[in-house]
Amino acid sequence: MAIITTSDLTKVYGRDFVAVDHLNIEIEKGEVFGLLGPNGAGKTTTIKMLTTVLKPSGGTAVIDGHDIIRDSLAVRKVIGVVPQDLTTDEDLKGIENLMMVSRFYNVPEERARETIKELVRLVDLEGAMQRYVRQYSGGMRKRLELIAGLVHSPKVLFLDEPTLGLDVQTRSQMWKHIEEVRENLGVTIILTSHYLEEVDALSDRVAIIDHGKIIASGTPAELKASLRGDVITITVSSENDVEKMLEYRGATEVKDLGGNRVRLKVQSADREMASLMNYIVSSGISVTGINVQKPSLDQVFLEYTGREMKDEEPGDFRSMMMRMRRLRR
Ligand SMILES: Nc1ncnc2c1ncn2[C@@H]1O[C@H](COP(=O)(O)OP(=O)(O)OP(=O)(O)O)[C@@H](O)[C@H]1O
Ligand SMILES: [Mg+2]
C-alpha cells in the first residue's frame, strides 16, 4: 500500500526556473525509497514540499491519507524530518536537544524519555547524552540529528543527505544505524543522496532525478539489470589464446581489447563463471588475469543522462551560490 503518492508535484522558483517538474512517485509503506541525483537536481526542493515547508507551484501529494496542501498540519504529525542543514543546538546537551524537540511535538514527558532511551541505544549515543553537542564529532552529530527526527514516533521519516560531509568510514556506520532504525521502528524512509553507493546500499527502490524530472526508477537491481549484464575482462598470455577466447559462445558480446585482453559482456558473471572456467581449462588457455565488473548505479546514471554524476556541476553558478548561502547560515 502506498503511504506517499505525488501527482505532478511541481516547483517553479522565480518566474520560470522549474526545479521540480511534474514529479509522480508512489512510496510503499515500510520501504526505504532513495531519491538520487546530482547537485541542483531538485531533491531538497521535493523534500521541502513533501514536508510542507514549501508550497508546491503545481500538483500535490498525499501522505498517509493527508493532502500536503490542504491538510498540512495532519501531515506534520505523521512525518519526521532530518533536513540537509544541521538543526540541533550546539549549546545544549544531547539529551536537552532531544527533550526540546519532544516538547515541540507535545510528546508527554514520560513517553519522551522512554522513546529517547530506545533511540539513543539504536544509534550508540548512550555515552554522549550528557555532553554538549558542540563537542560531538561529525558522525555523532548526524546520529543525533537522525534520532531528533524520530522522537514523536513518525510513520514516515525524511532524510535529506544523511551522510553529507562524513568520511567514508563514518558514512557506512551511519548506514548501519539507518538500517537499524528501519528494522526496529518499521518507519517508511525517504532519503536523498548524491552518493550512488549509499542509495544502492540502503534503498528498496530508487528514483534517479535530474533537472527536476525522474529519468529512471526501480529497485537498484532492476536499474543495474537494465544495463544488461556484467563485464568480465580476461588477460591471457598469447595472441593464440586471444583467438580462442574470441570463440567463446557464452557471452552476449566478446571484444578484443588489444594487449592480450578480451572483454566479455555476460548476463551475470556469477552464473557464467563456471562454464567460462570450464572453457578456459578445456581449451588450454593460459590466463594471467581476470577482472569482474558489476554494473553500478554510477553507470546507470551515465547511461540515462549521458553525463557522469559529479559532486559539483562546474557551470551551475546558481547552485554554487545556494551552497555558499547555506554555509554562511
Ligand atoms: N529558494 C530558491 N530560489 C531559487 N532557486 C532555488 C531555490 N532553492 C533551490 N533553488 C534551485 O533549484 C534547483 C534545485 O535545488 P535543490 O536544492 O532542490 O537541489 P538538490 O537536488 O537538493 O541539490 P543538492 O544535491 O545540492 O542538495 C537548483 O538549481 C537550485 O539552485
Ligand atoms: Mg539538497
Side-chain angles (χ1 to χ4, degrees), residues 11-14 17-20 35-48 54 84 160-161 164 192-194 209 211-212 310-313 316-323 325-326:
K11 182 70 196 181
V12 182
Y13 284 122
F17 182 78
V18 186
V20 174
L35 266 183
L36 175 71
N39 284 147
K43 304 182 295 295
T44 296
T45 303
T46 303
I47 299 290
K48 282 188 174 161
L54 202 61
Q84 186 164 344
D160 198 0
E161 307 277 358
L164 194 72
T192 80
S193 182
H194 47 246
I209 161 169
H211 298 303
K310 298 204 197 74
D311 263 5
E312 216 72 50
E313 294 198 320
D316 193 347
F317 182 68
R318 198 197 288 255
S319 74
M320 198 178 79
M321 290 305 288
M322 285 296 298
R323 202 161 284 282
R325 211 177 301 157
R326 254 185 236 143

mmCIF file of all heavy atoms in Angstrom, residues 11-14 17-20 35-48 54 84 160-161 164 192-194 209 211-212 310-313 316-323 325-326, ligand 1:
data_model
loop_
_atom_site.group_PDB
_atom_site.id
_atom_site.type_symbol
_atom_site.label_atom_id
_atom_site.label_comp_id
_atom_site.label_asym_id
_atom_site.label_seq_id
_atom_site.Cartn_x
_atom_site.Cartn_y
_atom_site.Cartn_z
ATOM 1 N N LYS A 11 7.632 22.534 -8.683
ATOM 2 C CA LYS A 11 8.037 23.783 -8.041
ATOM 3 C C LYS A 11 8.759 24.670 -9.051
ATOM 4 O O LYS A 11 9.735 24.266 -9.674
ATOM 5 C CB LYS A 11 8.983 23.512 -6.854
ATOM 6 C CG LYS A 11 9.389 24.769 -6.117
ATOM 7 C CD LYS A 11 8.222 25.375 -5.349
ATOM 8 C CE LYS A 11 8.480 26.799 -4.920
ATOM 9 N NZ LYS A 11 7.335 27.352 -4.166
ATOM 10 N N VAL A 12 8.245 25.869 -9.173
ATOM 11 C CA VAL A 12 8.895 26.858 -10.037
ATOM 12 C C VAL A 12 9.442 27.955 -9.138
ATOM 13 O O VAL A 12 8.712 28.536 -8.337
ATOM 14 C CB VAL A 12 7.873 27.461 -11.045
ATOM 15 C CG1 VAL A 12 8.566 28.459 -11.961
ATOM 16 C CG2 VAL A 12 7.201 26.363 -11.844
ATOM 17 N N TYR A 13 10.730 28.216 -9.224
ATOM 18 C CA TYR A 13 11.322 29.328 -8.468
ATOM 19 C C TYR A 13 11.361 30.556 -9.363
ATOM 20 O O TYR A 13 11.674 30.459 -10.545
ATOM 21 C CB TYR A 13 12.758 28.991 -8.053
ATOM 22 C CG TYR A 13 12.871 28.008 -6.887
ATOM 23 C CD1 TYR A 13 13.567 26.814 -7.041
ATOM 24 C CD2 TYR A 13 12.307 28.294 -5.645
ATOM 25 C CE1 TYR A 13 13.699 25.923 -5.979
ATOM 26 C CE2 TYR A 13 12.427 27.414 -4.588
ATOM 27 C CZ TYR A 13 13.120 26.231 -4.754
ATOM 28 O OH TYR A 13 13.251 25.363 -3.708
ATOM 29 N N GLY A 14 11.066 31.709 -8.758
ATOM 30 C CA GLY A 14 11.078 32.945 -9.530
ATOM 31 C C GLY A 14 10.049 32.859 -10.633
ATOM 32 O O GLY A 14 8.975 32.270 -10.459
ATOM 33 N N PHE A 17 12.021 29.273 -13.329
ATOM 34 C CA PHE A 17 13.010 28.219 -13.102
ATOM 35 C C PHE A 17 12.324 26.989 -12.502
ATOM 36 O O PHE A 17 11.921 26.984 -11.347
ATOM 37 C CB PHE A 17 14.143 28.702 -12.193
ATOM 38 C CG PHE A 17 15.192 27.647 -11.987
ATOM 39 C CD1 PHE A 17 16.141 27.384 -12.979
ATOM 40 C CD2 PHE A 17 15.210 26.877 -10.834
ATOM 41 C CE1 PHE A 17 17.096 26.392 -12.805
ATOM 42 C CE2 PHE A 17 16.159 25.875 -10.653
ATOM 43 C CZ PHE A 17 17.102 25.638 -11.643
ATOM 44 N N VAL A 18 12.183 25.950 -13.322
ATOM 45 C CA VAL A 18 11.467 24.756 -12.874
ATOM 46 C C VAL A 18 12.426 23.816 -12.145
ATOM 47 O O VAL A 18 13.246 23.142 -12.749
ATOM 48 C CB VAL A 18 10.816 24.017 -14.066
ATOM 49 C CG1 VAL A 18 9.956 22.856 -13.565
ATOM 50 C CG2 VAL A 18 9.976 24.979 -14.896
ATOM 51 N N ALA A 19 12.336 23.810 -10.811
ATOM 52 C CA ALA A 19 13.263 22.988 -10.017
ATOM 53 C C ALA A 19 12.755 21.564 -9.868
ATOM 54 O O ALA A 19 13.527 20.612 -9.817
ATOM 55 C CB ALA A 19 13.478 23.617 -8.644
ATOM 56 N N VAL A 20 11.415 21.423 -9.768
ATOM 57 C CA VAL A 20 10.809 20.091 -9.706
ATOM 58 C C VAL A 20 9.686 20.081 -10.741
ATOM 59 O O VAL A 20 8.834 20.975 -10.753
ATOM 60 C CB VAL A 20 10.266 19.767 -8.298
ATOM 61 C CG1 VAL A 20 9.508 18.455 -8.295
ATOM 62 C CG2 VAL A 20 11.409 19.718 -7.282
ATOM 63 N N LEU A 35 16.023 8.962 -3.320
ATOM 64 C CA LEU A 35 15.979 9.940 -4.402
ATOM 65 C C LEU A 35 17.423 10.284 -4.707
ATOM 66 O O LEU A 35 18.123 10.867 -3.879
ATOM 67 C CB LEU A 35 15.282 11.214 -3.940
ATOM 68 C CG LEU A 35 13.799 11.400 -4.190
ATOM 69 C CD1 LEU A 35 13.389 12.784 -3.686
ATOM 70 C CD2 LEU A 35 13.449 11.263 -5.661
ATOM 71 N N LEU A 36 17.848 9.922 -5.888
ATOM 72 C CA LEU A 36 19.257 10.070 -6.235
ATOM 73 C C LEU A 36 19.407 11.101 -7.341
ATOM 74 O O LEU A 36 18.690 11.063 -8.329
ATOM 75 C CB LEU A 36 19.761 8.706 -6.708
ATOM 76 C CG LEU A 36 21.167 8.602 -7.229
ATOM 77 C CD1 LEU A 36 22.150 8.760 -6.091
ATOM 78 C CD2 LEU A 36 21.381 7.242 -7.896
ATOM 79 N N GLY A 37 20.334 12.019 -7.154
ATOM 80 C CA GLY A 37 20.555 12.993 -8.223
ATOM 81 C C GLY A 37 21.704 13.911 -7.890
ATOM 82 O O GLY A 37 22.076 14.043 -6.729
ATOM 83 N N PRO A 38 22.288 14.554 -8.900
ATOM 84 C CA PRO A 38 23.434 15.434 -8.672
ATOM 85 C C PRO A 38 23.026 16.743 -7.990
ATOM 86 O O PRO A 38 21.835 16.978 -7.764
ATOM 87 C CB PRO A 38 23.967 15.703 -10.082
ATOM 88 C CG PRO A 38 22.781 15.527 -10.971
ATOM 89 C CD PRO A 38 21.904 14.493 -10.310
ATOM 90 N N ASN A 39 23.954 17.585 -7.683
ATOM 91 C CA ASN A 39 23.662 18.896 -7.107
ATOM 92 C C ASN A 39 22.644 19.623 -7.970
ATOM 93 O O ASN A 39 22.776 19.647 -9.190
ATOM 94 C CB ASN A 39 24.936 19.755 -7.063
ATOM 95 C CG ASN A 39 25.874 19.343 -5.944
ATOM 96 O OD1 ASN A 39 27.076 19.442 -6.091
ATOM 97 N ND2 ASN A 39 25.334 18.865 -4.852
ATOM 98 N N GLY A 40 21.652 20.179 -7.287
ATOM 99 C CA GLY A 40 20.690 21.003 -8.005
ATOM 100 C C GLY A 40 19.617 20.217 -8.742
ATOM 101 O O GLY A 40 18.815 20.787 -9.477
ATOM 102 N N ALA A 41 19.570 18.903 -8.530
ATOM 103 C CA ALA A 41 18.599 18.071 -9.256
ATOM 104 C C ALA A 41 17.158 18.353 -8.825
ATOM 105 O O ALA A 41 16.219 18.119 -9.576
ATOM 106 C CB ALA A 41 18.909 16.591 -9.048
ATOM 107 N N GLY A 42 17.004 18.866 -7.594
ATOM 108 C CA GLY A 42 15.650 19.144 -7.099
ATOM 109 C C GLY A 42 15.250 18.258 -5.923
ATOM 110 O O GLY A 42 14.088 18.222 -5.528
ATOM 111 N N LYS A 43 16.221 17.581 -5.329
ATOM 112 C CA LYS A 43 15.927 16.654 -4.232
ATOM 113 C C LYS A 43 15.406 17.395 -3.008
ATOM 114 O O LYS A 43 14.344 17.080 -2.473
ATOM 115 C CB LYS A 43 17.200 15.850 -3.854
ATOM 116 C CG LYS A 43 17.826 15.096 -5.018
ATOM 117 C CD LYS A 43 19.037 14.302 -4.589
ATOM 118 C CE LYS A 43 20.224 15.137 -4.095
ATOM 119 N NZ LYS A 43 20.833 15.984 -5.120
ATOM 120 N N THR A 44 16.172 18.396 -2.553
ATOM 121 C CA THR A 44 15.776 19.127 -1.354
ATOM 122 C C THR A 44 14.448 19.852 -1.574
ATOM 123 O O THR A 44 13.585 19.876 -0.691
ATOM 124 C CB THR A 44 16.888 20.117 -0.935
ATOM 125 O OG1 THR A 44 18.047 19.359 -0.585
ATOM 126 C CG2 THR A 44 16.463 20.965 0.246
ATOM 127 N N THR A 45 14.271 20.415 -2.747
ATOM 128 C CA THR A 45 13.011 21.094 -3.053
ATOM 129 C C THR A 45 11.838 20.121 -2.935
ATOM 130 O O THR A 45 10.794 20.450 -2.369
ATOM 131 C CB THR A 45 13.066 21.708 -4.472
ATOM 132 O OG1 THR A 45 14.188 22.595 -4.536
ATOM 133 C CG2 THR A 45 11.803 22.472 -4.795
ATOM 134 N N THR A 46 12.025 18.900 -3.435
ATOM 135 C CA THR A 46 10.989 17.874 -3.326
ATOM 136 C C THR A 46 10.690 17.564 -1.864
ATOM 137 O O THR A 46 9.530 17.548 -1.434
ATOM 138 C CB THR A 46 11.429 16.574 -4.047
ATOM 139 O OG1 THR A 46 11.714 16.888 -5.401
ATOM 140 C CG2 THR A 46 10.353 15.513 -3.974
ATOM 141 N N ILE A 47 11.754 17.346 -1.086
ATOM 142 C CA ILE A 47 11.583 17.049 0.337
ATOM 143 C C ILE A 47 10.863 18.206 1.042
ATOM 144 O O ILE A 47 9.964 17.993 1.856
ATOM 145 C CB ILE A 47 12.953 16.809 1.028
ATOM 146 C CG1 ILE A 47 13.666 15.614 0.404
ATOM 147 C CG2 ILE A 47 12.799 16.645 2.533
ATOM 148 C CD1 ILE A 47 13.042 14.282 0.686
ATOM 149 N N LYS A 48 11.246 19.437 0.713
ATOM 150 C CA LYS A 48 10.629 20.591 1.378
ATOM 151 C C LYS A 48 9.139 20.677 1.078
ATOM 152 O O LYS A 48 8.340 21.029 1.935
ATOM 153 C CB LYS A 48 11.332 21.885 0.964
ATOM 154 C CG LYS A 48 12.657 22.081 1.682
ATOM 155 C CD LYS A 48 13.247 23.448 1.402
ATOM 156 C CE LYS A 48 14.494 23.673 2.236
ATOM 157 N NZ LYS A 48 15.328 24.760 1.663
ATOM 158 N N LEU A 54 7.536 24.070 2.022
ATOM 159 C CA LEU A 54 7.476 24.868 0.801
ATOM 160 C C LEU A 54 6.193 24.507 0.061
ATOM 161 O O LEU A 54 5.836 23.336 -0.038
ATOM 162 C CB LEU A 54 8.688 24.465 -0.051
ATOM 163 C CG LEU A 54 9.226 25.397 -1.113
ATOM 164 C CD1 LEU A 54 9.697 26.700 -0.473
ATOM 165 C CD2 LEU A 54 10.400 24.721 -1.815
ATOM 166 N N GLN A 84 18.745 18.779 5.353
ATOM 167 C CA GLN A 84 20.131 18.762 4.871
ATOM 168 C C GLN A 84 21.046 19.589 5.787
ATOM 169 O O GLN A 84 22.171 19.202 6.057
ATOM 170 C CB GLN A 84 20.164 19.303 3.434
ATOM 171 C CG GLN A 84 21.514 19.218 2.772
ATOM 172 C CD GLN A 84 21.428 19.383 1.249
ATOM 173 O OE1 GLN A 84 20.365 19.279 0.646
ATOM 174 N NE2 GLN A 84 22.556 19.630 0.626
ATOM 175 N N ASP A 160 17.332 14.074 4.387
ATOM 176 C CA ASP A 160 17.928 14.785 3.260
ATOM 177 C C ASP A 160 19.451 14.756 3.403
ATOM 178 O O ASP A 160 20.005 15.424 4.272
ATOM 179 C CB ASP A 160 17.392 16.226 3.199
ATOM 180 C CG ASP A 160 17.630 16.873 1.836
ATOM 181 O OD1 ASP A 160 18.212 16.208 0.952
ATOM 182 O OD2 ASP A 160 17.226 18.041 1.654
ATOM 183 N N GLU A 161 20.104 13.975 2.575
ATOM 184 C CA GLU A 161 21.562 13.828 2.597
ATOM 185 C C GLU A 161 22.072 13.441 3.991
ATOM 186 O O GLU A 161 22.824 14.177 4.612
ATOM 187 C CB GLU A 161 22.250 15.140 2.173
ATOM 188 C CG GLU A 161 21.766 15.702 0.866
ATOM 189 C CD GLU A 161 22.434 15.072 -0.352
ATOM 190 O OE1 GLU A 161 23.316 14.200 -0.171
ATOM 191 O OE2 GLU A 161 22.049 15.439 -1.461
ATOM 192 N N LEU A 164 26.038 13.554 4.235
ATOM 193 C CA LEU A 164 26.825 14.584 3.560
ATOM 194 C C LEU A 164 27.944 15.089 4.469
ATOM 195 O O LEU A 164 27.715 15.405 5.623
ATOM 196 C CB LEU A 164 25.913 15.746 3.155
ATOM 197 C CG LEU A 164 26.526 16.727 2.156
ATOM 198 C CD1 LEU A 164 26.613 16.083 0.779
ATOM 199 C CD2 LEU A 164 25.709 17.999 2.078
ATOM 200 N N THR A 192 17.475 11.206 0.443
ATOM 201 C CA THR A 192 18.089 11.740 -0.766
ATOM 202 C C THR A 192 19.587 11.608 -0.621
ATOM 203 O O THR A 192 20.118 11.595 0.496
ATOM 204 C CB THR A 192 17.804 13.240 -0.981
ATOM 205 O OG1 THR A 192 18.696 13.985 -0.135
ATOM 206 C CG2 THR A 192 16.379 13.597 -0.655
ATOM 207 N N SER A 193 20.228 11.497 -1.758
ATOM 208 C CA SER A 193 21.669 11.367 -1.703
ATOM 209 C C SER A 193 22.254 11.641 -3.070
ATOM 210 O O SER A 193 21.580 11.443 -4.081
ATOM 211 C CB SER A 193 22.043 9.953 -1.270
ATOM 212 O OG SER A 193 23.431 9.811 -1.173
ATOM 213 N N HIS A 194 23.491 12.136 -3.108
ATOM 214 C CA HIS A 194 24.151 12.044 -4.396
ATOM 215 C C HIS A 194 25.296 11.037 -4.348
ATOM 216 O O HIS A 194 26.124 10.991 -5.222
ATOM 217 C CB HIS A 194 24.545 13.385 -5.008
ATOM 218 C CG HIS A 194 25.236 14.327 -4.098
ATOM 219 N ND1 HIS A 194 24.674 15.502 -3.707
ATOM 220 C CD2 HIS A 194 26.430 14.268 -3.527
ATOM 221 C CE1 HIS A 194 25.499 16.131 -2.908
ATOM 222 N NE2 HIS A 194 26.581 15.402 -2.773
ATOM 223 N N ILE A 209 16.827 11.345 -10.256
ATOM 224 C CA ILE A 209 16.209 12.611 -10.630
ATOM 225 C C ILE A 209 17.287 13.558 -11.165
ATOM 226 O O ILE A 209 18.392 13.624 -10.646
ATOM 227 C CB ILE A 209 15.390 13.188 -9.436
ATOM 228 C CG1 ILE A 209 15.099 14.667 -9.537
ATOM 229 C CG2 ILE A 209 16.003 12.916 -8.137
ATOM 230 C CD1 ILE A 209 14.067 15.123 -8.493
ATOM 231 N N HIS A 211 17.495 17.505 -13.192
ATOM 232 C CA HIS A 211 16.750 18.688 -13.615
ATOM 233 C C HIS A 211 15.263 18.579 -13.272
ATOM 234 O O HIS A 211 14.397 18.882 -14.095
ATOM 235 C CB HIS A 211 16.917 18.917 -15.124
ATOM 236 C CG HIS A 211 18.345 19.181 -15.520
ATOM 237 N ND1 HIS A 211 19.098 20.202 -14.988
ATOM 238 C CD2 HIS A 211 19.163 18.522 -16.363
ATOM 239 C CE1 HIS A 211 20.312 20.183 -15.500
ATOM 240 N NE2 HIS A 211 20.383 19.159 -16.331
ATOM 241 N N GLY A 212 14.984 18.091 -12.054
ATOM 242 C CA GLY A 212 13.606 18.064 -11.566
ATOM 243 C C GLY A 212 12.718 16.975 -12.125
ATOM 244 O O GLY A 212 11.542 16.903 -11.802
ATOM 245 N N LYS A 310 28.745 13.938 -10.936
ATOM 246 C CA LYS A 310 29.827 14.507 -10.138
ATOM 247 C C LYS A 310 29.236 15.250 -8.962
ATOM 248 O O LYS A 310 28.068 15.595 -8.947
ATOM 249 C CB LYS A 310 30.645 15.485 -10.985
ATOM 250 C CG LYS A 310 31.308 14.814 -12.162
ATOM 251 C CD LYS A 310 32.528 15.617 -12.591
ATOM 252 C CE LYS A 310 32.979 15.242 -13.981
ATOM 253 N NZ LYS A 310 32.080 15.781 -15.016
ATOM 254 N N ASP A 311 30.082 15.532 -7.995
ATOM 255 C CA ASP A 311 29.606 16.265 -6.831
ATOM 256 C C ASP A 311 29.237 17.695 -7.175
ATOM 257 O O ASP A 311 28.325 18.257 -6.629
ATOM 258 C CB ASP A 311 30.670 16.265 -5.726
ATOM 259 C CG ASP A 311 30.384 15.174 -4.717
ATOM 260 O OD1 ASP A 311 29.440 14.399 -4.967
ATOM 261 O OD2 ASP A 311 31.100 15.101 -3.709
ATOM 262 N N GLU A 312 29.959 18.274 -8.085
ATOM 263 C CA GLU A 312 29.721 19.671 -8.419
ATOM 264 C C GLU A 312 29.505 19.803 -9.914
ATOM 265 O O GLU A 312 30.182 19.167 -10.707
ATOM 266 C CB GLU A 312 30.949 20.496 -8.022
ATOM 267 C CG GLU A 312 30.617 21.855 -7.497
ATOM 268 C CD GLU A 312 29.990 21.772 -6.098
ATOM 269 O OE1 GLU A 312 30.562 21.089 -5.235
ATOM 270 O OE2 GLU A 312 28.955 22.391 -5.901
ATOM 271 N N GLU A 313 28.517 20.583 -10.302
ATOM 272 C CA GLU A 313 28.377 20.893 -11.708
ATOM 273 C C GLU A 313 29.071 22.222 -11.922
ATOM 274 O O GLU A 313 28.596 23.249 -11.469
ATOM 275 C CB GLU A 313 26.899 20.992 -12.089
ATOM 276 C CG GLU A 313 26.174 19.664 -11.974
ATOM 277 C CD GLU A 313 24.876 19.665 -12.758
ATOM 278 O OE1 GLU A 313 24.178 20.693 -12.729
ATOM 279 O OE2 GLU A 313 24.582 18.642 -13.395
ATOM 280 N N ASP A 316 27.233 25.444 -13.015
ATOM 281 C CA ASP A 316 25.988 25.802 -12.356
ATOM 282 C C ASP A 316 26.202 26.854 -11.272
ATOM 283 O O ASP A 316 26.342 26.576 -10.102
ATOM 284 C CB ASP A 316 25.346 24.540 -11.764
ATOM 285 C CG ASP A 316 23.901 24.804 -11.358
ATOM 286 O OD1 ASP A 316 23.508 25.981 -11.305
ATOM 287 O OD2 ASP A 316 23.193 23.825 -11.097
ATOM 288 N N PHE A 317 26.220 28.090 -11.712
ATOM 289 C CA PHE A 317 26.513 29.208 -10.823
ATOM 290 C C PHE A 317 25.462 29.309 -9.714
ATOM 291 O O PHE A 317 25.772 29.513 -8.544
ATOM 292 C CB PHE A 317 26.546 30.497 -11.641
ATOM 293 C CG PHE A 317 26.877 31.707 -10.824
ATOM 294 C CD1 PHE A 317 28.147 31.857 -10.278
ATOM 295 C CD2 PHE A 317 25.926 32.680 -10.589
ATOM 296 C CE1 PHE A 317 28.445 32.962 -9.504
ATOM 297 C CE2 PHE A 317 26.230 33.778 -9.820
ATOM 298 C CZ PHE A 317 27.491 33.927 -9.276
ATOM 299 N N ARG A 318 24.215 29.105 -10.113
ATOM 300 C CA ARG A 318 23.120 29.235 -9.169
ATOM 301 C C ARG A 318 23.282 28.285 -7.977
ATOM 302 O O ARG A 318 23.138 28.681 -6.834
ATOM 303 C CB ARG A 318 21.805 28.942 -9.894
ATOM 304 C CG ARG A 318 20.596 29.465 -9.152
ATOM 305 C CD ARG A 318 19.373 28.803 -9.675
ATOM 306 N NE ARG A 318 19.019 29.274 -11.021
ATOM 307 C CZ ARG A 318 18.003 30.105 -11.229
ATOM 308 N NH1 ARG A 318 17.315 30.575 -10.230
ATOM 309 N NH2 ARG A 318 17.682 30.454 -12.444
ATOM 310 N N SER A 319 23.628 27.012 -8.282
ATOM 311 C CA SER A 319 23.703 26.081 -7.159
ATOM 312 C C SER A 319 24.942 26.359 -6.308
ATOM 313 O O SER A 319 24.977 26.072 -5.130
ATOM 314 C CB SER A 319 23.632 24.628 -7.628
ATOM 315 O OG SER A 319 24.788 24.195 -8.226
ATOM 316 N N MET A 320 25.960 26.969 -6.930
ATOM 317 C CA MET A 320 27.133 27.348 -6.139
ATOM 318 C C MET A 320 26.749 28.449 -5.139
ATOM 319 O O MET A 320 27.116 28.413 -3.975
ATOM 320 C CB MET A 320 28.236 27.851 -7.068
ATOM 321 C CG MET A 320 29.584 27.863 -6.416
ATOM 322 S SD MET A 320 30.843 28.412 -7.562
ATOM 323 C CE MET A 320 30.610 30.170 -7.548
ATOM 324 N N MET A 321 25.960 29.394 -5.617
ATOM 325 C CA MET A 321 25.528 30.483 -4.745
ATOM 326 C C MET A 321 24.673 29.953 -3.602
ATOM 327 O O MET A 321 24.823 30.359 -2.454
ATOM 328 C CB MET A 321 24.710 31.517 -5.545
ATOM 329 C CG MET A 321 25.507 32.327 -6.539
ATOM 330 S SD MET A 321 26.906 33.151 -5.771
ATOM 331 C CE MET A 321 26.061 34.416 -4.819
ATOM 332 N N MET A 322 23.792 29.001 -3.940
ATOM 333 C CA MET A 322 22.937 28.396 -2.925
ATOM 334 C C MET A 322 23.780 27.762 -1.831
ATOM 335 O O MET A 322 23.525 27.887 -0.647
ATOM 336 C CB MET A 322 22.073 27.287 -3.543
ATOM 337 C CG MET A 322 20.922 27.760 -4.376
ATOM 338 S SD MET A 322 19.737 28.654 -3.375
ATOM 339 C CE MET A 322 19.248 27.343 -2.258
ATOM 340 N N ARG A 323 24.803 27.051 -2.291
ATOM 341 C CA ARG A 323 25.696 26.346 -1.391
ATOM 342 C C ARG A 323 26.395 27.331 -0.445
ATOM 343 O O ARG A 323 26.498 27.119 0.742
ATOM 344 C CB ARG A 323 26.737 25.651 -2.256
ATOM 345 C CG ARG A 323 27.422 24.500 -1.625
ATOM 346 C CD ARG A 323 28.038 23.662 -2.702
ATOM 347 N NE ARG A 323 26.986 22.891 -3.343
ATOM 348 C CZ ARG A 323 26.491 21.807 -2.791
ATOM 349 N NH1 ARG A 323 26.955 21.363 -1.656
ATOM 350 N NH2 ARG A 323 25.537 21.162 -3.382
ATOM 351 N N ARG A 325 25.428 30.307 0.378
ATOM 352 C CA ARG A 325 24.450 30.898 1.282
ATOM 353 C C ARG A 325 24.204 29.958 2.467
ATOM 354 O O ARG A 325 24.145 30.363 3.608
ATOM 355 C CB ARG A 325 23.136 31.137 0.524
ATOM 356 C CG ARG A 325 22.362 32.327 1.044
ATOM 357 C CD ARG A 325 21.122 32.566 0.213
ATOM 358 N NE ARG A 325 21.402 32.810 -1.191
ATOM 359 C CZ ARG A 325 20.497 32.603 -2.159
ATOM 360 N NH1 ARG A 325 19.300 32.158 -1.865
ATOM 361 N NH2 ARG A 325 20.805 32.855 -3.406
ATOM 362 N N ARG A 326 24.088 28.666 2.130
ATOM 363 C CA ARG A 326 23.869 27.648 3.148
ATOM 364 C C ARG A 326 24.998 27.629 4.157
ATOM 365 O O ARG A 326 24.816 27.545 5.345
ATOM 366 C CB ARG A 326 23.811 26.267 2.492
ATOM 367 C CG ARG A 326 22.444 25.696 2.406
ATOM 368 C CD ARG A 326 22.547 24.295 1.854
ATOM 369 N NE ARG A 326 21.727 24.132 0.679
ATOM 370 C CZ ARG A 326 22.074 23.407 -0.370
ATOM 371 N NH1 ARG A 326 23.235 22.799 -0.412
ATOM 372 N NH2 ARG A 326 21.258 23.303 -1.390
HETATM 373 N N1 LIG B 1 14.895 29.396 -2.877
HETATM 374 C C1 LIG B 1 15.349 29.195 -4.118
HETATM 375 N N2 LIG B 1 15.271 30.160 -5.047
HETATM 376 C C2 LIG B 1 15.718 29.962 -6.306
HETATM 377 N N3 LIG B 1 16.266 28.826 -6.762
HETATM 378 C C3 LIG B 1 16.382 27.814 -5.874
HETATM 379 C C4 LIG B 1 15.931 27.943 -4.515
HETATM 380 N N4 LIG B 1 16.172 26.776 -3.876
HETATM 381 C C5 LIG B 1 16.744 25.965 -4.794
HETATM 382 N N5 LIG B 1 16.876 26.573 -5.988
HETATM 383 C C6 LIG B 1 17.411 25.963 -7.232
HETATM 384 O O1 LIG B 1 16.600 24.858 -7.566
HETATM 385 C C7 LIG B 1 17.381 23.769 -8.027
HETATM 386 C C8 LIG B 1 17.140 22.563 -7.155
HETATM 387 O O2 LIG B 1 17.689 22.801 -5.858
HETATM 388 P P1 LIG B 1 17.650 21.705 -4.707
HETATM 389 O O3 LIG B 1 18.259 22.302 -3.510
HETATM 390 O O4 LIG B 1 16.283 21.157 -4.615
HETATM 391 O O5 LIG B 1 18.615 20.598 -5.330
HETATM 392 P P2 LIG B 1 19.256 19.319 -4.641
HETATM 393 O O6 LIG B 1 18.981 18.197 -5.574
HETATM 394 O O7 LIG B 1 18.804 19.188 -3.250
HETATM 395 O O8 LIG B 1 20.814 19.665 -4.691
HETATM 396 P P3 LIG B 1 21.998 19.331 -3.634
HETATM 397 O O9 LIG B 1 22.488 17.977 -4.045
HETATM 398 O O10 LIG B 1 22.991 20.395 -3.918
HETATM 399 O O11 LIG B 1 21.438 19.383 -2.264
HETATM 400 C C9 LIG B 1 18.830 24.246 -8.007
HETATM 401 O O12 LIG B 1 19.179 24.688 -9.302
HETATM 402 C C10 LIG B 1 18.797 25.398 -7.028
HETATM 403 O O13 LIG B 1 19.812 26.332 -7.338
#
